[in-house]
């Protein structure tokens, strides 16, 4: 798929796809770019190298991103500085940072450790504006056909419980797309 982004970002995304914890799928980024126009308030939980945050900030969105890995934070900061993008990067664990934030955000992109999604859901809901969208990545990681490897049972259970919580919440209307490892798009009604 063709993303409407500068060559520098596309090159970095291509290289980052072979790293551990890669950026989101092209289709997911296109979806996020469709949601985040000028002035949109975006919160990204799990910023990685900052490539998605940078792509959204380039569209004029106001982006706050959380990342706990020091080396990735450094690379993300270098990228934001190189491209002169005013992304607010909060370094640390989302479990400690989320309760300290005040919303509202129009879009929240949940893309950190999947075992924590369920735990972070209440804060995401609190921080999301009415009419806003929660985008949760990798929700089909082990939800497609086939056996879940024994080592992954706990992770699969956590993702399943998160999806139950999300789809059972009457304040959200959720659709799941098969982009990458699956993405849940939940509109706050
Ligand atoms: C898949 S990568 C994020 C990719 C990024 N969202 C993108 O699209 O470019 C997941 C990131 O979440 C970070 N992470 C995982 N759990 C976290 C937590 N509890 N708090 C903050 N960051 C976390 C990891 O260090 C990793 O960099």
């Amino acid at each position: 798929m063709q993303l409407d982004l500068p060559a520098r970002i596309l090159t970095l995304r291509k290289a980052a796809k072979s790293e551990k914890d890669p950026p989101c799928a092209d289709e997911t980024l296109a979806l996020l770019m469709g949601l985040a126009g000028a002035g949109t308030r975006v919160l990204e939980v799990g910023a990685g190298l900052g490539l998605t945050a940078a792509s959204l900030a380039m569209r004029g969105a106001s982006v706050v991103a959380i990342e706990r890995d020091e080396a990735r934070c450094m690379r993300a900061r270098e990228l934001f500085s190189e491209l002169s993008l005013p992304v607010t990067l909060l370094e640390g664990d989302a479990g400690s940072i989320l309760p300290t934030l005040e919303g509202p955000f129009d879009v929240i992109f949940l893309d950190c450790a999947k075992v924590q999604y369920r735990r972070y859901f209440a804060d995401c809901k609190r921080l999301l504006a009415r009419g806003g969208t929660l985008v949760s990545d990798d929700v089909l990681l082990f939800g497609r056909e086939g056996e879940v490897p024994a080592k992954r049972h706990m992770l699969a259970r956590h993702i399943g419980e998160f999806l139950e919580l999300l789809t059972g919440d009457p304040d959200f209307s959720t659709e799941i797309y098969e982009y990458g490892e699956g993405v849940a798009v939940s509109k706050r009604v």
Side-chain angles (χ1 to χ4, degrees):
M1 118 171 283
Q2 196 71 25
L3 286 166
D4 180 18
L5 284 168
R8 174 80 174 129
I9 295 267
L10 295 175
T11 305
L12 289 171
R13 274 181 60 79
K14 196 171 170 197
K17 280 179 183 171
S18 55
E19 292 197 27
K20 187 173 175 279
D21 290 331
C24 64
D26 288 358
E27 293 88 344
T28 304
L29 181 55
L31 184 148
L32 287 164
M33 286 166 63
L35 290 170
T40 308
R41 298 155 298 183
V42 177
L43 172 65
E44 182 179 27
V45 186
L49 304 179
L51 290 163
T52 293
S55 305
L56 301 181
M58 275 181 170
R59 301 184 71 75
S62 156
V63 184
V64 175
I66 305 174
E67 173 54 54
R68 70 180 174 191
D69 183 88
E70 197 183 340
R72 286 186 196 139
C73 281
M74 204 182 294
R75 290 170 70 182
R77 278 203 192 89
E78 278 169 15
L79 179 68
F80 302 148
S81 155
E82 176 194 330
L83 301 174
S84 301
L85 294 169
V87 175
T88 302
L89 182 64
L90 304 176
E91 184 171 345
D93 192 273
S96 310
I97 293 174
L98 283 170
T100 70
L101 296 182
E102 282 182 26
F105 292 92
D106 305 299
V107 176
I108 299 182
F109 182 37
L110 188 55
D111 191 21
C112 59
K114 316 308 158 202
V115 290
Q116 304 293 354
Y117 279 16
R118 205 167 73 96
R119 201 177 129 218
Y120 297 164
F121 178 67
D123 269 317
C124 289
K125 185 171 171 178
R126 176 182 63 81
L127 292 167
L128 193 64
R130 283 192 187 277
T133 310
L134 172 65
V135 178
S136 313
D137 208 10
D138 303 320
V139 295
L140 298 178
L141 201 51
F142 298 108
R144 293 192 172 105
E145 303 225 345
E147 285 270 304
V148 176
K151 273 202 227 160
R152 298 305 204 168
H153 277 172
M154 194 188 74
L155 181 54
R157 182 170 54 77
H158 275 284
I159 295 174
E161 285 173 2
F162 169 69
L163 277 180
E164 254 179 61
L165 189 67
L166 186 62
T167 55
D169 190 318
D171 293 332
F172 283 97
S173 158
T174 296
E175 289 195 51
I176 296 176
Y177 298 92
E178 300 236 346
Y179 305 155
E181 297 294 348
V183 63
V185 180
S186 310
K187 182 116 175 129
R188 176 90 154 90
V189 289

